[in-house]
Amino acid sequence: MANAPMMTRRNWLVSSLALITAGPLVAGSAMARPPRQTGPRQITIYKTPWCGCCDGWVSHMREAGYVTQVRVLQDLAPIRAEHGVPDRLASCHTGVISGYAIEGHVPASDVARLLRERPTGARALSAPGMPAGSPGMEAAGRQPYVTWLITDDGQAQVFGRHNGA
C-alpha cells in the first residue's frame, strides 16, 4: 500500500468526531419510524375446516399481493384470545400479520392501511360476523358494513366503512 494516505492524528480525530456526532442522528431517525415491510407481505390465516367463505377471503388476500399460510384448526377462540380480539368482534377466521390480528372479512385495502399507518395502541382489525358483500362473502348479497380497529385495551373504533361488493 505504497499510495495509501497516511492516517494522521488530526485525520483520526476528525473521522472519530464525525462518527460520534452522526451516530445518534442516524440511530434516532431509524428508531422514530415504524418498521417498513420489505418483500412479500406474509399473513398466517387460521380457519376452521367447515367454513368455505374463509377460502374466498384467502383468495382475496392473495389477489391483493399477500403471501398466505393457512392453518386449519377446530377452535379459533385461543387464537383470538392470544391476539386480543374480543368475542363481540369475532368472525369465522383470524389472520395474523406483522403482530396484528385481522378478524373476519376485512378488505385487503384496510389491512394495507393498518400496516402503513400503524396506529398507536392498535392490535387488530375486525369485520365481525360475516357481512354480506365483504371479501369472500360476495355471493351473500350486499350490505354496508364497518371494519373496527381494536386497541390494546379492548376498545373498538370505526376504521373503515364499506358498501359491500
Side-chain angles (χ1 to χ4, degrees):
M1 295 204 186
N3 293 333
M6 184 175 207
M7 179 62 87
T8 65
R9 183 175 178 183
R10 182 178 186 278
N11 288 347
W12 179 83
L13 284 172
V14 169
S15 297
S16 298
L17 184 58
L19 287 173
I20 290 168
T21 57
L25 294 174
V26 172
S29 65
M31 292 188 314
R33 294 187 188 121
R36 295 193 76 155
Q37 285 189 313
T38 57
R41 299 176 290 177
Q42 297 183 355
I43 184 169
T44 301
I45 301 166
Y46 300 90
K47 66 182 259 355
T48 58
W50 50 82
C51 187
C53 67
C54 300
D55 295 329
W57 188 74
V58 170
S59 294
H60 167 75
M61 294 302 287
R62 286 180 180 152
E63 288 168 10
Y66 291 87
V67 176
T68 62
Q69 178 182 34
V70 177
R71 295 197 177 156
V72 179
L73 302 174
Q74 296 294 317
D75 183 11
L76 300 182
I79 299 296
R80 286 194 291 270
E82 177 184 344
H83 293 282
V85 177
D87 289 341
R88 72 183 189 283
L89 296 173
S91 187
C92 54
H93 57 265
T94 305
V96 178
I97 185 169
S98 294
Y100 295 109
I102 310 298
E103 183 68 18
H105 296 268
V106 174
S109 59
D110 283 0
V111 176
R113 180 178 155 213
L114 175 71
L115 296 174
R116 185 176 59 251
E117 294 178 3
R118 297 189 178 277
T120 303
R123 108 175 349 228
L125 288 180
S126 175
M130 298 164 72
S134 62
M137 292 296 297
E138 296 88 355
R142 185 180 185 148
Q143 74 180 45
Y145 67 99
V146 170
T147 54
W148 296 93
L149 177 73
I150 303 168
T151 57
D152 290 336
D153 62 1
Q155 299 299 309
Q157 60 191 48
V158 173
F159 187 79
R161 295 182 187 279
H162 305 280
N163 292 322

